[in-house]
Amino acid sequence: MGSSHSSLCLTLAPPQSTPLFFPSKPFTKFPTPIHRNPSKPTIMAQSSLPTSSLPTSSFSPLKSKSSDLQSVGGGLGFEIHAIEEDVVEKMVYDALVWCSLNGLLVGDRAVQRSGTLPGVGIVHAPFSLLPMSFPASRWKQACELAPIFNELFDRVSLDAKFLQDSLSRTKKVDEFTSRLLDIHSKMIEINKIEEIRLGLHRSDYMLDVQTNQLLQVEFNTISSSFPGLSCLVSKLHRNLLHHYGSPLGLDHSKVPENAAVDKFAEVLAKAWTEYNNPRAVVLFVVQPEERNIRTLAELDALAELLPDGTLTVNGETVAIVYFRAGYTPADYPSEAEWKARLLIEQSSAVKCPSVAYHLAGTKKIQQELAKPGVLERFVDDKNDVEKLRKCFTGLWSLDNSDVVAHAIEKPDLYVMKPQREGGGNNIYGDDVRETLLRLSKEQSEEVAAYILMQRIFPIVFPAFLIRDGMCHKDHALSELGVYGAYLRNKVNVIANEQCGYLMRTKVSSSTRVVLQPDLLFWTVCILLESPKKFSQLLARICRLSRLILNFEAS
């Protein structure tokens, strides 16, 4: 596909001689329902977590190793198997043309020169051909939570003692968190106050199949990525459903509008205005391979801090520093990067995020906020506290011996999370048991580097997934991310809003629910206004789950 994708802009009809489906099994058949053994009783297996340890969630997974059991034939409310193959081919082709014409493109890692020159080595972003159905009530809930979470994390960032105390044990065993805390401590020592505070956030959720509850996976305070791609994917799906939605029974107007990239840009512009220097610039800090603006190492060599706190790079005053990089230890291969991060933090430039915001987004702080009574420390409105708690899943430190024992017994019901961002760092399945047993045997302080989170079992649905011009049919699951923006200058809140959304999909056969860039496909949601329709969908899922569980029991 690397040699032919550019021709998509020139051809208006798919060539008859070239098939669009290149994988060896382009249309993988879905498993037929398993009929229960009439001689065996129907058993609905329940594997609940210790109820005494669940302060915030009534979440109860179906069963360990059951993420593939919540499968249903029609995740969109219709049978995806019934879509004619020639219709799918036309939709795929039109979608690829649309991606090429509208810039839904990413760098192609298979092309060595990709990223070195504009327009060299690009390919369409991987995407799902059809949207995922999503209850409108849960969509509304996620959107309403955005400004509440924005305010919460701003207040958490201001509580230096809470951050330092909560992460004090983690600091002893996690070098990366320790270095961030050291910078934070230095800011406390010099009484550095961030008068202009900017947060561009994303709160990620999954819809639990058994309870139909919206449960939070994590809250991102640094490098809340993909607002640009997510907006384009929304336009792609609305365009496809405008042309093909009628025979499929799908209304393109039910795909929510997405203005994430415009709204993020607007808030960045407002922050630049608040800095009040019309000659100042906005600086993006990126990873080296992106070849985009400046890396931390370059800033160590080029940046200068003036006596009045002004940050300059090559003589230009910097109003805002946006961290697209800096969220992982790999971004700090030497002391030069840490020196640059400290220099930025000492300056009067607006940071997105500041080191306090960065620390507030760690997994340990997420777990601390889930403890009874902690939210009330930061949120005055009791209704807001209830709304926040409703979306929390179970979160524990490894000091909780009862939960640790249960996780060793039933590791598939838990996820172990280190203090890392960017995906691919979490521990699942038997690795949870092995890691916990090792830490217990060694009596290691390393336990402070992790938290345990109750695993969410999202809906699994059939999907057409397109990558590198090839279409596969497979079972998939999705995660909803809701963007939020917060801007404050001293006591004046200039912006606090929900800014759009991101829907990511992955093949469900992977044991890791985490959505890593190399594994995901972009999609959108289509809203179901009727709770009854979604309840019927969940009922179908649960019926199939019972059949499979009964089959396993036999």
Side-chain angles (χ1 to χ4, degrees):
M1 197 63 192
S3 62
S4 60
H5 62 76
S6 60
S7 65
L8 292 173
C9 298
L10 306 177
T11 310
L12 298 179
Q16 299 300 313
S17 59
T18 305
L20 283 173
F21 303 96
F22 299 101
S24 56
K25 294 183 179 179
F27 285 96
T28 306
K29 294 211 179 259
F30 293 103
T32 55
I34 301 172
H35 298 286
R36 65 183 180 90
N37 185 340
S39 65
K40 296 278 187 177
T42 301
I43 301 172
M44 180 60 177
Q46 299 268 342
S47 295
S48 58
L49 296 171
T51 55
S52 61
S53 305
L54 287 173
T56 59
S57 174
S58 59
F59 174 79
S60 178
L62 287 171
K63 184 182 179 183
S64 58
K65 297 185 180 178
S66 64
S67 61
D68 283 338
L69 304 184
Q70 296 89 7
S71 176
V72 67
L76 290 160
F78 66 90
E79 292 295 336
I80 194 172
H81 316 282
I83 304 177
E84 295 293 335
E85 189 169 327
D86 63 331
V87 174
V88 175
E89 283 198 24
K90 291 176 182 177
M91 290 182 69
V92 170
Y93 187 83
D94 285 352
L96 293 175
V97 170
W98 193 97
C99 290
S100 298
L101 294 176
N102 292 275
L104 184 49
L105 306 167
V106 294
D108 187 351
R109 295 185 180 182
V111 179
Q112 187 174 2
R113 298 177 67 205
S114 178
T116 62
L117 291 171
V120 175
I122 56 175
V123 66
H124 71 87
F127 61 92
S128 173
L129 190 63
L130 295 170
M132 175 193 175
S133 59
F134 204 84
S137 60
R138 296 299 178 226
W139 165 261
K140 181 180 178 182
Q141 177 189 355
C143 293
E144 290 178 347
L145 281 169
I148 304 174
F149 270 117
N150 290 341
E151 185 73 35
L152 168 64
F153 277 86
D154 181 69
R155 294 185 181 184
V156 170
S157 75
L158 296 176
D159 196 330
K161 186 177 187 302
F162 175 75
L163 291 174
Q164 290 283 335
D165 290 350
S166 298
L167 294 165
S168 59
R169 288 187 62 203
T170 305
K171 179 177 182 177
K172 297 176 182 179
V173 294
D174 188 310
E175 177 65 20
F176 180 64
T177 304
S178 177
R179 296 298 298 266
L180 292 174
L181 283 168
D182 286 344
I183 294 175
H184 185 244
S185 295
K186 290 175 181 176
M187 297 306 102
I188 298 172
E189 290 172 8
I190 65 174
N191 196 28
K192 180 70 171 64
I193 298 173
E194 299 293 334
E195 294 184 342
I196 304 174
R197 301 192 297 278
L198 171 64
L200 298 179
H201 307 138
R202 195 187 69 236
S203 185
D204 294 333
Y205 304 93
M206 283 184 170
L207 195 62
D208 171 42
V209 67
Q210 193 172 27
T211 63
N212 190 21
Q213 293 297 310
L214 187 77
L215 299 178
Q216 187 184 54
V217 178
E218 63 182 1
F219 190 85
N220 302 277
T221 60
I222 183 169
S223 188
S224 300
S225 53
F226 307 127
L229 283 177
S230 67
C231 293
L232 288 171
V233 174
S234 296
K235 292 179 180 179
L236 165 65
H237 280 82
R238 289 173 71 90
N239 180 273
L240 284 174
L241 295 187
H242 177 74
H243 294 287
Y244 295 96
S246 181
L248 299 178
L250 298 174
D251 183 357
H252 73 278
S253 68
K254 297 297 183 181
V255 175
E257 295 279 3
N258 196 353
V261 70
D262 290 337
K263 289 190 175 183
F264 267 19
E266 287 174 9
V267 176
L268 276 168
K270 288 178 181 179
W272 178 85
T273 299
E274 292 299 313
Y275 188 79
N276 198 27
N277 182 341
R279 298 179 64 84
V281 300
V282 176
L283 175 69
F284 284 77
V285 180
V286 301
Q287 294 167 330
E289 61 270 21
E290 292 186 36
R291 295 177 171 85
N292 223 349
I293 319 303
R294 297 294 181 191
T295 66
L296 283 168
E298 288 174 319
L299 290 176
D300 178 55
L302 300 173
E304 182 181 359
L305 186 64
L306 301 184
D308 65 353
T310 300
L311 178 68
T312 67
V313 176
N314 282 340
E316 293 189 278
T317 298
V318 177
I320 301 171
V321 180
Y322 179 84
F323 285 94
R324 178 63 185 87
Y327 55 84
T328 172
D331 292 334
Y332 302 84
S334 71
E335 283 300 309
E337 287 79 12
W338 286 112
K339 286 170 60 182
R341 184 69 188 264
L342 175 60
L343 186 74
I344 292 168
E345 207 63 35
Q346 290 171 325
S347 76
S348 60
V350 180
K351 298 93 181 169
C352 187
S354 66
V355 71
Y357 259 65
H358 189 164
L359 291 169
T362 58
K363 305 301 185 292
K364 179 61 180 176
I365 296 301
Q366 182 185 6
Q367 180 255 312
E368 288 290 320
L369 290 173
K371 288 182 177 180
V374 176
L375 279 178
E376 288 81 355
R377 178 171 177 168
F378 304 102
V379 183
D380 300 325
D381 191 308
K382 292 182 179 179
N383 290 329
D384 286 346
V385 170
E386 183 60 29
K387 289 176 183 177
L388 292 170
R389 283 218 173 96
K390 190 176 180 180
C391 76
F392 285 173
T393 187
L395 294 159
W396 306 272
S397 75
L398 269 61
D399 295 328
N400 191 320
S401 58
D402 289 340
V403 173
V404 169
H406 194 261
I408 291 173
E409 180 185 357
K410 298 183 182 298
D412 289 292
L413 300 184
Y414 295 85
V415 180
M416 280 185 71
K417 290 189 169 186
Q419 312 306 311
R420 295 289 180 269
E421 304 296 330
N425 301 295
N426 298 339
I427 301 173
Y428 298 85
D430 290 339
D431 291 340
V432 171
R433 176 190 290 117
E434 293 174 8
T435 303
L436 290 174
L437 289 173
R438 176 181 63 80
L439 294 175
S440 177
K441 181 180 180 180
E442 296 173 355
Q443 295 291 300
S444 173
E445 286 292 322
E446 191 184 346
V447 294
Y450 298 93
I451 67 164
L452 273 171
M453 187 180 95
Q454 192 169 356
R455 187 168 175 178
I456 304 169
F457 290 91
I459 292 174
V460 175
F461 57 93
F464 295 108
L465 304 173
I466 294 91
R467 183 188 294 274
D468 295 330
M470 296 182 287
C471 180
H472 301 260
K473 190 162 71 168
D474 212 326
H475 287 101
L477 54 86
S478 288
E479 177 180 291
L480 171 68
V482 175
Y483 294 107
Y486 188 87
L487 176 62
R488 187 179 190 123
N489 191 343
K490 298 179 182 177
V491 298
N492 184 25
V493 178
I494 298 155
N496 182 14
E497 56 188 300
Q498 180 262 334
C499 292
Y501 73 101
L502 166 73
M503 184 72 79
R504 293 172 293 175
T505 293
K506 70 176 286 292
V507 174
S508 66
S509 57
S510 170
T511 59
R512 281 151 170 73
V513 176
V514 65
L515 301 181
Q516 294 175 246
D518 289 344
L519 303 176
L520 63 81
F521 298 80
W522 278 267
T523 189
V524 296
C525 55
I526 187 165
L527 301 183
L528 292 180
E529 299 291 344
S530 169
K532 182 179 179 181
K533 287 184 178 180
F534 202 77
S535 296
Q536 291 171 344
L537 177 62
L538 288 177
R540 292 174 62 197
I541 295 171
C542 289
R543 284 197 297 271
L544 180 58
S545 298
R546 282 194 290 271
L547 290 172
I548 298 176
L549 288 168
N550 181 68
F551 178 79
E552 287 183 343
S554 67

